Amino acid sequence: MSIFDIMAEIEQQQYQIELSCAVLAEAERYFESKEDSKFLPHYAEHILKLLYVATNILHNTKPELEKATDALMDKFKEECHGKND
């Protein structure tokens, strides 16, 4: 994996995290207003779907970030060994 590919993967995963934060922020809005809290049972299914999406994105992001980090560490080790030779 090239350094460019690793950086692109990390950037993609950062986007996924930002997307998850946006989804969670939307779910949070349902709980912000005390006046609207009477509608929470009506919104429960929508909130559940938002939380499901955010949870899945975050669960999928962690292993992808770990792969990119491992690849970056491998590149670093290769460069270090190359300089020592």
Side-chain angles (χ1 to χ4, degrees), residues 9 13 16 54-65:
E9 181 63 31
Q13 297 310 316
Q16 295 293 335
T55 301
N56 278 334
I57 291 171
L58 290 172
H59 280 296
N60 293 334
T61 299
K62 185 178 182 227
E64 293 302 319
L65 276 175

Side-chain angles (χ1 to χ4, degrees), residues 2-85:
S2 72
I3 295 287
F4 178 80
D5 291 336
I6 295 168
M7 290 184 332
E9 181 63 31
I10 291 171
E11 190 173 86
Q12 173 64 24
Q13 297 310 316
Q14 288 172 330
Y15 171 75
Q16 295 293 335
I17 291 171
E18 289 172 12
L19 178 61
S20 295
C21 289
V23 169
L24 290 171
E26 183 177 338
E28 179 184 352
R29 282 188 220 117
Y30 287 104
F31 296 96
E32 286 179 340
S33 173
K34 290 182 182 179
E35 292 174 10
D36 291 338
S37 64
K38 62 184 174 192
F39 296 111
L40 281 177
H42 174 71
Y43 295 137
E45 186 177 343
H46 186 67
I47 294 168
L48 178 63
K49 287 177 183 176
L50 290 171
L51 294 174
Y52 179 75
V53 167
T55 301
N56 278 334
I57 291 171
L58 290 172
H59 280 296
N60 293 334
T61 299
K62 185 178 182 227
E64 293 302 319
L65 276 175
E66 287 173 355
K67 281 195 276 185
T69 303
D70 290 346
L72 194 55
M73 183 58 77
D74 290 343
K75 284 288 184 188
F76 176 74
K77 288 177 183 177
E78 286 174 15
E79 289 180 9
C80 286
H81 289 296
K83 290 179 182 177
N84 292 335
D85 293 338

